[in-house]
C-alpha cells in the first residue's frame, strides 16, 4: 500500500516563517558594500580606525577598497592631534596635544602615540648628553627631523612607531647655505618616500633629493636668481612656494620636474614689513590660496581665473583680527602678533604672541576659510620659534599591501 505524506500543518508553517523573520542579522550577513556605506557615516578617521580594527570582516572591507578610502578622505578632513614646537634652546621638540575629552576616539589616538620621540637615537654613548633633534617638516602623520650633530635625519610616524634613519645631504653642498626640507610620500605606500632639500644662497637655489629606495641623495642644477630667500617653503599641490615680505613674487619649485619658476604676489604684500605674516596653502576644494595676517585683518586670496579667463590672485575673504582676539578671550594688546603656522585642507592654523612681553599668553588657533569658524586649540607658556600642526595621516594598517596580505594568509 502506497504511503502518502501528510501536508504540513498551517500552524507549524506560520511558526517557522515567524522564526525566520525574527532570526538576527550577523556581521557575516552584511556585505562589504553595506559596511563601507556605514563606515562613511562615522565622524572621523580615529573613529574609523577603532571600528575597522574591531574584527577581520570590518578591516577587510576598508582595506579592499581604494575608492572607499578616497570617498572617506573627501568627506572627513584629517584630524589635528596637536602641535609640535621646536624650542629655541635646542633639544627634543615639545608637543602640545589637542584635548577634547568628548572625543574618545581622538583621545585614544593621542594616548597611544610616541610624541616624545623616544625611539630616536642619542647623540653619543653619553646617556646624559642633550639630544638635538629638530623638526623640518610634517606630512600625512610623518615627522621629518634632523640632527646636525650626528649628521642624521629621521622620518618618524609617532602613531605607528615607524622609523627610518638616513644621512643628511653631502656636506659639500649644504655648508654655509640655508637648507629647507620637505618629505614626500607615495600616496598610501608609506614604506617609500622622497626627501626634497632646497638649498638657498644669495645667487640662487638648488634641489637635492633623497630616495628611500636608492638610499642616496641626488644633486640637481643651480637656479640663478638675484635675491636671497632664507626661509622655509610651503608644499601645495606638487609645488613648493617660497615667499618673503616685501618681494613682488614667490619662488616656486615643481617637485616633479625639480625646476624653479616665479609667481607674482598680490600688490598688498609687496610693501609688507617684517611684522606681517603670510603663507600659501590650499582651500577645502584643493585650490591654491594665500593667507595674509596684517595689523587689523586676516585676508585670503585664491588663485583662480578672473572675468577674462586669466588666472591671478583674487580677493576671497577678509576677517577682522579683533574677532580673533575676542574669541581667544584676550585683546589685540595682549596678542599683538599672529603667525600663520600652516594651511591644511582649508583650515588656517595660527599662533598668537606678543613682540615685547614675554609673559603674555600664547595660543594656537584654527580658522576655517569656508565657514569663518574660529577655534582655540591649545595654549602655551612661551612663543615658539617654529610650530608644526600634527595632522593624522591614513594609517598603513587600513591599506592592503604585500605585508598585510601575507599576514592575512598566515
Amino acid at each position: 500500500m502506497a504511503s502518502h505524506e501528510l501536508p504540513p500543518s498551517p500552524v507549524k508553517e506560520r511558526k517557522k516563517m515567524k522564526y525566520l523573520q525574527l532570526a538576527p542579522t550577523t556581521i557575516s550577513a552584511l556585505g562589504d558594500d553595506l559596511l563601507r556605506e556605514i563606515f562613511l557615516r562615522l565622524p572621523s578617521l580615529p573613529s574609523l580606525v577603532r571600528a575597522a580594527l574591531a574584527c577581520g570582516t570590518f578591516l577587510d572591507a576598508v582595506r579592499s577598497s581604494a575608492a572607499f578610502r578616497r570617498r572617506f578622505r573627501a568627506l572627513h578632513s584629517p584630524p589635528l592631534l596637536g602641535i609640535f614646537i621646536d624650542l629655541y634652546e635646542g633639544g627634543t621638540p615639545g608637543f602640545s596635544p589637542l584635548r577634547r575629552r568628548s572625543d574618545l576616539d581622538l583621545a585614544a589616538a593621542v594616548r597611544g602615540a610616541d610624541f616624545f620621540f623616544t625611539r630616536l637615537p642619542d647623540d653619543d654613548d653619553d646617556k646624559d648628553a642633550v639630544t638635538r633633534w629638530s623638526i623640518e617638516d610634517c606630512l600625512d602623520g610623518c615627522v621629518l627631523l634632523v640632527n646636525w650633530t650626528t649628521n642624521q635625519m629621521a622620518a618618524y610616524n609617532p602613531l605607528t612607531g615607524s622609523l627610518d634613519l638616513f644621512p643628511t645631504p653631502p656636506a659639500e653642498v649644504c655648508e654655509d647655505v640655508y637648507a629647507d626640507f620637505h618629505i614626500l610620500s607615495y600616496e598610501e605606500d608609506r614604506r617609500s618616500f622622497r626627501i626634497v632639500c632646497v638649498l638657498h644662497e644669495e645667487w640662487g637655489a638648488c634641489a637635492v633629493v633623497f630616495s628611500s629606495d636608492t638610499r642616496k641623495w641626488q644633486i640637481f642644477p643651480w637656479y640663478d636668481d638675484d635675491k636671497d630667500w632664507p626661509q622655509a617653503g610651503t608644499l601645495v599641490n606638487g609645488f613648493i612656494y617660497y615667499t618673503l615680505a616685501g618681494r613682488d613674487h614667490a619662488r616656486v619649485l615643481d617637485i616633479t620636474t625639480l625646476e624653479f619658476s616665479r609667481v607674482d604676489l598680490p600688490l598688498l604684500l609687496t610693501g609688507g614689513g617684517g611684522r606681517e605674516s603670510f603663507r600659501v596653502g590650499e582651500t577645502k576644494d584643493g585650490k591654491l590660496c594665500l593667507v595674509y595676517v596684517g595689523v587689523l585683518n586676516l585676508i585670503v586670496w585664491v588663485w583662480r581665473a578672473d572675468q577674462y579667463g586669466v588666472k591671478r590672485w583674487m580677493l576671497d575673504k577678509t576677517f577682522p583680527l579683533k574677532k580673533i582676539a575676542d574669541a581667544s578671550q584676550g585683546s589685540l594688546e595682549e596678542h599683538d602678533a599672529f603667525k600663520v603656522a600652516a594651511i591644511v585642507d582649508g583650515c588656517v592654523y595660527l599662533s598668537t604672541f606678543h613682540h615685547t612681553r614675554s609673559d603674555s599668553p600664547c595660543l594656537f588657533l584654527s580658522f576655517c576659510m569656508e565657514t569663518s569658524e574660529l577655534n582655540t586649540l591649545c595654549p602655551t607658556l612661551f612663543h615658539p620659534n617654529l610650530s608644526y600642526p600634527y595632522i593624522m595621516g591614513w594609517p598603513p594598517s587600513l591599506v592592503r599591501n604585500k605585508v598585510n596580505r601575507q599576514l592575512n594568509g598566515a
Side-chain angles (χ1 to χ4, degrees):
M1 182 166 119
S3 63
H4 298 280
E5 292 185 0
L6 296 175
S9 169
V11 176
K12 290 183 178 181
E13 273 297 306
R14 285 196 296 269
K15 288 183 178 181
K16 181 179 179 182
M17 292 299 297
K18 185 177 180 180
Y19 171 78
L20 292 176
Q21 292 173 356
L22 296 178
T25 302
T26 63
I27 292 177
S28 58
L30 300 177
D32 286 350
D33 291 339
L34 182 56
L35 284 175
R36 287 191 280 262
E37 288 298 322
I38 296 173
F39 291 156
L40 284 175
R41 288 155 175 80
L42 291 174
S44 65
L45 179 57
S47 301
L48 176 65
V49 173
R50 298 190 79 181
L53 296 179
C55 69
T57 301
F58 290 0
L59 184 59
D60 189 66
V62 175
R63 283 178 173 174
S64 60
S65 176
F68 162 77
R69 296 192 291 274
R70 287 192 296 268
R71 288 180 63 194
F72 192 93
R73 282 192 287 260
L75 292 173
H76 305 277
S77 299
L80 174 74
L81 299 186
I83 309 289
F84 279 111
I85 304 169
D86 249 356
L87 309 179
Y88 279 117
E89 58 269 21
T92 304
F95 183 75
S96 182
L98 181 62
R99 299 186 181 277
R100 290 179 180 171
R101 298 184 184 279
S102 59
D103 192 336
L104 299 179
D105 297 328
L106 187 143
V110 173
R111 188 168 53 248
D114 178 24
F115 291 120
F116 295 103
F117 304 120
T118 59
R119 295 192 61 199
L120 292 180
D122 296 329
D123 288 357
D124 48 38
D125 295 333
D126 185 1
K127 296 182 179 180
D128 296 328
V130 178
T131 302
R132 301 187 181 278
W133 288 92
S134 60
I135 295 180
E136 294 293 333
D137 191 24
C138 282
L139 180 69
D140 294 334
C142 187
V143 184
L144 180 64
L145 304 103
V146 64
N147 187 330
W148 291 110
T149 303
T150 60
N151 294 323
Q152 276 187 308
M153 299 195 70
Y156 188 50
N157 189 324
L159 294 177
T160 65
S162 173
L163 175 63
D164 195 317
L165 297 171
F166 48 95
T168 55
E172 60 268 21
V173 297
C174 61
E175 186 176 1
D176 297 328
V177 297
Y178 184 91
D180 176 46
F181 294 91
H182 295 269
I183 184 168
L184 313 176
S185 60
Y186 293 101
E187 295 182 351
E188 293 183 340
D189 187 2
R190 301 292 184 230
R191 297 166 299 166
S192 298
F193 60 89
R194 287 190 302 158
I195 305 297
V196 175
C197 173
V198 182
L199 306 175
H200 297 274
E201 255 289 3
E202 292 182 0
W203 57 82
C206 83
V208 185
V209 179
F210 175 84
S211 170
S212 62
D213 297 329
T214 63
R215 314 300 297 181
K216 295 180 180 179
W217 289 95
Q218 183 179 2
I219 304 173
F220 288 82
W222 275 89
Y223 167 74
D224 294 329
D225 200 352
D226 58 352
K227 293 181 179 179
D228 188 18
W229 295 79
Q231 76 167 45
T234 304
L235 175 63
V236 182
N237 296 332
F239 296 87
I240 302 176
Y241 294 84
Y242 294 91
T243 58
L244 199 61
R247 301 288 169 86
D248 60 356
H249 67 277
R251 177 182 286 175
V252 184
L253 174 64
D254 186 329
I255 64 172
T256 302
T257 64
L258 295 171
E259 295 179 350
F260 288 92
S261 61
R262 293 184 177 187
V263 62
D264 292 334
L265 294 175
L267 292 177
L268 179 62
L269 303 181
T270 59
R275 294 187 64 173
E276 289 80 6
S277 174
F278 62 96
R279 185 182 289 267
V280 296
E282 62 178 352
T283 62
K284 180 71 174 177
D285 54 359
K287 294 180 180 177
L288 179 67
C289 69
L290 190 151
V291 175
Y292 164 81
V293 181
V295 178
L296 298 175
N297 297 304
L298 183 149
I299 305 174
V300 179
W301 288 271
V302 176
W303 182 261
R304 61 169 178 255
D306 60 14
Q307 58 182 338
Y308 303 106
V310 179
K311 283 194 172 184
R312 61 186 184 90
W313 294 110
M314 303 286 289
L315 183 63
D316 183 73
K317 187 167 295 187
T318 300
F319 193 82
L321 290 183
K322 187 178 185 304
K323 290 186 178 180
I324 297 180
D326 292 343
S328 60
Q329 298 180 351
S331 64
L332 288 178
E333 287 73 25
E334 292 177 313
H335 308 282
D336 76 332
F338 296 82
K339 181 178 180 180
V340 182
I343 307 170
V344 181
D345 200 29
C347 186
V348 183
Y349 294 101
L350 303 160
S351 61
T352 74
F353 59 97
H354 197 282
H355 277 101
T356 59
R357 291 170 50 185
S358 59
D359 60 338
S360 180
C362 301
L363 295 173
F364 289 103
L365 311 169
S366 67
F367 173 75
C368 179
M369 290 188 288
E370 183 178 8
T371 64
S372 296
E373 180 182 1
L374 182 71
N375 291 308
T376 301
L377 301 178
C378 52
T380 181
L381 298 178
F382 53 88
H383 166 48
N385 182 21
L386 290 173
S387 55
Y388 298 87
Y390 182 73
I391 311 294
M392 182 178 179
W394 193 270
S397 60
L398 300 191
V399 180
R400 173 167 289 168
N401 52 41
K402 292 181 180 179
V403 175
N404 287 334
R405 282 198 292 267
Q406 291 173 358
L407 292 176
N408 290 339

